[in-house]
Amino acid sequence: MRLDQLYQEIILDHYKHPHGRGLRDPFGGEAHHVNPTCGDEVTMRVAVDSAGVLSDISYDGQGCSISQASASVLHELLRGRRADEAARVHEAFAELMGGRGAVEPDEDLLGDGVAFAGVAKYPARVKCALLPWMAFKDAAARAGVAVTSPAA
Amino acid sequence: MSTAAIPQGMPQYEDKPRFDVEKVRADFPMLDREVNGHRMVYLDSGNTSQKPRQVLEVMQAHLERHNGNVSRSVHTVGTEATEAYEGARAKVARFINAPSVDEVVFSKNATESINLVAYSFSDRADDPRFRIGPGDEIVISEMEHHSNIVPWQLLCERTGAKLRWFSITDQGRLGLDKLEDLINERTKIVSYALVSNTLGTINPTSAITTRAKQVGALVMLDASQAVPHIPVDVQDLNVDFIAFTGHKMCGPTGVGVLWGRYELLNAMPPFLGGGSMIETVSMSGSTFAAPPARFEAGTPPIVEVVGLGAAVDYLSGIGMEAIAWHEKELTTYALDALLAVPGLRIFGPETPVGRGGTLSFALDGVHPHDVGQVLDSVGVEVRVGHHCARPVCARFGVPAMTRASFYLYTTTEEVDALVRGLDQVRKIFG
């Protein structure tokens, strides 16, 4: 069934058992994003240490399995990375989601994020998957680090 | 067709008008299609209805044989187009029992119709009924679609008037207990949904119109979810304005209706300026046409209006009483079936009385997006999200809802398919 691609075990697992969920102090920047068409929302907090490492990424939100699992995956992937590395992952994830299912994901870079390859085939759900990532970008900017790649 | 809850052969129901649903379904080409390898079960008519062949044929024939601009041509096809356009206005007027055909204004959609009325109010209005400022109040309800919230919020921002709200009871009905306080001498207009797009509630009118008339307030109904589904008689409703849209009643998108009492329309300033809405234009200023032309600036959606006329013919041919009864039986069946689904909570009345065939619900622990996605995988098309009515979701403490909405072509078998689909959802997310 095509639905399997959308709800891979990995996504359902992150949804049912989210990693790193809950807003934590201290943090350098926070952003709250909503998806106006469906009411999903997520708050992201980013803490950056003196070495430019994303020392914590904490979040809370409510929404569908895709948006909430995506936040959990983001936390797993980006926490503890340098901002420039995070930017590369961010870019790869955004590219995957914008690829309409035609982009072959790089598992080394995206980890559990590859599970979202199936989501890219459902245009109505791409925004769900990107919601935490967009909030993260804003939160990081407010924390004083840019995760936007130079190309974007 | 049979329903579980209303016993067949009960004498009090035998005189209800009925129609052959399978025959009606054959009129709708879309209902034949498949979605994800399953026969499509379209349960999103509250969002937009499907269109019968009769409407599509009239629109195509108009464009192929009678296409010209309206109200400004002396030539034959222009005259034919004008006759078709004005003929549709007469059909719509009859359909809602408007006293005069000139009380029917065509707009882009119900949203524009409501905005038209909202923009008639200002602190400089000539007519005191449309003059508004600090100290004045507007009353809407918590169960409104955003289209009947935001225009009034904007009006309040422009003028300093205060927006007040009818509450919603736990059963999903309009809270009328503070009616006298809510609608008072400061109230300029009361605007609310005749039928709720999320809860399905059919709201009362007489208590509200009586109170509004007592204090000299106008009453507007958002009838977008009413006109397609139940008989609507503007004289019987005794209100001042109603707004509705074509695409939810078997017509095309791009056309809406504002009905207003002529005397009020005539007291209202123009909304959009342009061609067709003027009397004379000179470099020093312009004067404006009488309603409805005053509110129809520019070339209108001609073929869409003609299509709406055909939709009115189609619905009238079946009969609004029969359509309302069909949906009532279906709703009875669906409420029974859905309430038997473990972990399912209905938002809105749980009895098929004073409600239409729009059922919003939550499935314990599963987000509506996921419910909608799984249902779509088995061909069941429902709406998920906040349904452009966030205050309703907030009232019931949920971020979003899943909504199944029925129409004249919906069958009990389709309700069964929905329930089977929900079993599937519970398996995946259970």
Side-chain angles (χ1 to χ4, degrees):
Chain A
M1 190 172 60
R2 290 174 56 191
L3 206 59
D4 285 349
Q5 295 183 328
L6 186 65
Y7 294 119
Q8 289 210 19
E9 285 296 315
I10 296 169
I11 292 181
L12 283 177
D13 205 45
H14 274 278
Y15 176 53
K16 290 172 183 170
H17 310 286
H19 302 192
R21 190 182 173 92
L23 295 171
R24 289 179 291 275
D25 290 315
F27 64 95
E30 180 183 275
H32 175 74
H33 275 213
V34 300
N35 182 342
T37 57
C38 64
D40 280 9
E41 49 189 290
V42 66
T43 304
M44 275 280 165
R45 283 182 180 176
V46 174
V48 186
D49 68 15
S50 54
V53 169
L54 307 175
S55 52
D56 193 19
I57 298 169
S58 66
Y59 65 95
D60 204 356
Q62 51 179 10
C64 63
S65 59
I66 307 285
S67 68
Q68 301 307 302
S70 180
S72 172
V73 167
L74 182 152
H75 166 88
E76 284 284 287
L77 279 175
L78 302 187
R79 192 183 58 148
R81 290 202 193 228
R82 288 200 325 270
D84 59 333
E85 292 169 353
R88 280 180 57 221
V89 177
H90 196 283
E91 185 189 12
F93 189 79
E95 191 197 345
L96 176 64
M97 297 319 299
R100 290 225 156 214
V103 173
E104 194 58 47
D106 176 351
E107 192 162 356
D108 290 340
L109 197 59
L110 287 175
D112 280 0
V114 297
F116 289 82
V119 178
K121 293 176 195 155
Y122 295 83
R125 305 303 295 279
V126 167
K127 274 189 188 163
C128 305
L130 285 175
L131 183 71
W133 295 76
M134 295 301 143
F136 165 76
K137 199 167 93 175
D138 276 4
R142 285 170 194 166
V145 294
V147 292
T148 311
S149 64
Chain B
M1 290 285 303
S2 66
T3 64
I6 300 178
Q8 291 299 297
M10 293 281 282
Q12 65 264 44
Y13 300 128
E14 271 173 2
D15 57 346
K16 291 290 177 187
R18 288 164 199 279
F19 59 89
D20 182 343
V21 181
E22 286 308 321
K23 217 173 123 212
V24 162
R25 288 180 68 84
D27 291 335
F28 290 79
M30 267 291 288
L31 297 181
D32 267 347
R33 69 161 282 178
E34 294 194 340
V35 168
N36 292 326
H38 298 261
R39 190 180 183 195
M40 180 180 74
V41 172
Y42 188 75
L43 300 179
D44 200 17
S45 292
N47 205 350
T48 195
S49 74
Q50 296 305 337
K51 326 299 176 196
R53 196 171 276 113
Q54 288 85 339
V55 169
L56 306 177
E57 284 170 0
V58 165
M59 292 175 74
Q60 178 149 6
H62 180 85
L63 289 173
E64 285 179 351
R65 306 294 305 161
H66 309 288
N67 183 48
N69 211 333
V70 295
S71 313
R72 61 187 67 167
S73 307
V74 294
H75 55 64
T76 301
V77 294
T79 306
E80 286 173 10
T82 303
E83 276 170 6
Y85 182 77
E86 293 303 328
R89 193 192 306 279
K91 286 174 186 181
V92 171
R94 266 198 307 279
F95 191 61
I96 57 171
N97 198 28
S100 160
V101 67
D102 292 330
E103 295 183 338
V104 172
V105 177
F106 289 121
S107 61
K108 184 171 66 184
N109 45 36
T111 297
E112 190 181 80
S113 298
I114 296 169
N115 274 278
L116 195 166
V117 174
Y119 274 95
S120 298
F121 288 85
S122 78
D123 51 0
R124 284 160 299 166
D126 293 334
D127 191 296
R129 291 170 297 185
F130 294 99
R131 204 175 302 137
I132 194 165
D136 291 326
E137 295 175 359
I138 294 162
V139 178
I140 61 174
S141 91
E142 271 184 57
M143 70 169 81
E144 297 314 305
H145 188 281
H146 295 164
S147 62
N148 199 27
I149 298 175
V150 182
W152 305 113
Q153 286 177 329
L154 292 173
L155 174 60
C156 288
E157 279 173 26
R158 285 196 299 275
T159 62
K162 183 180 170 191
L163 193 59
R164 300 188 65 186
W165 306 68
F166 279 111
S167 61
I168 307 174
T169 69
D170 290 342
Q171 291 74 38
R173 311 259 180 208
L174 217 51
L176 294 177
D177 49 327
K178 298 193 180 84
L179 181 65
E180 306 249 312
D181 165 63
L182 202 54
I183 302 177
N184 58 56
E185 284 70 18
R186 297 184 297 278
T187 310
K188 301 301 285 190
I189 186 165
V190 181
S191 186
Y192 68 102
L194 183 50
V195 176
S196 160
N197 76 310
T198 40
L199 306 174
T201 319
I202 300 178
N203 286 317
T205 51
S206 71
I208 294 170
T209 53
T210 303
R211 176 63 182 157
K213 289 203 187 318
Q214 243 173 34
V215 299
L218 300 173
V219 178
M220 174 160 191
L221 295 176
D222 174 1
S224 303
Q225 300 287 347
V227 172
H229 301 285
I230 57 176
V232 168
D233 176 331
V234 293
Q235 297 188 54
D236 183 52
L237 286 169
N238 196 22
V239 294
D240 298 296
F241 301 101
I242 74 168
F244 57 101
T245 192
H247 71 94
K248 295 188 200 293
M249 53 186 289
C250 298
T253 54
V255 56
V257 174
L258 171 68
W259 169 84
R261 288 200 291 117
Y262 189 82
E263 179 265 323
L264 284 168
L265 292 176
N266 203 31
M268 285 157 57
F271 175 45
L272 301 174
S276 300
M277 53 75 73
I278 49 92
E279 189 178 56
T280 63
V281 175
S282 69
M283 288 171 72
S284 59
S286 302
T287 57
F288 306 110
R294 184 184 302 169
F295 305 107
E296 294 180 2
T299 296
I302 301 168
V303 72
E304 288 80 3
V305 165
V306 171
L308 177 56
V312 163
D313 283 342
Y314 183 80
L315 294 173
S316 302
I318 292 163
M320 291 310 296
E321 291 281 359
I323 290 169
W325 183 253
H326 168 72
E327 291 184 34
K328 193 181 182 75
E329 285 193 328
L330 207 54
T331 303
T332 309
Y333 184 88
L335 283 168
D336 268 8
L338 287 176
L339 286 167
V341 174
L344 189 141
R345 170 189 176 197
I346 297 263
F347 301 103
E350 291 186 358
T351 54
V353 177
R355 67 131 52 243
T358 292
L359 279 73
S360 291
F361 57 89
L363 200 57
D364 203 18
V366 190
H367 190 277
H369 254 173
D370 297 320
V371 175
Q373 193 81 55
V374 176
L375 289 177
D376 180 63
S377 76
V378 293
V380 178
E381 312 293 284
V382 296
R383 172 105 185 252
V384 295
H386 53 52
H387 312 294
C388 297
R390 286 202 76 175
V392 179
C393 293
R395 163 64 180 82
F396 289 99
V398 291
M401 297 176 179
T402 303
R403 180 186 74 176
S405 53
F406 309 148
Y407 206 4
L408 73 165
Y409 40 68
T410 311
T411 65
T412 51
E413 288 77 9
E414 291 182 305
V415 174
D416 294 341
L418 168 66
V419 172
R420 282 197 305 275
L422 292 172
D423 286 342
Q424 187 88 3
V425 175
R426 290 175 50 240
K427 276 197 198 105
I428 293 176
F429 287 91

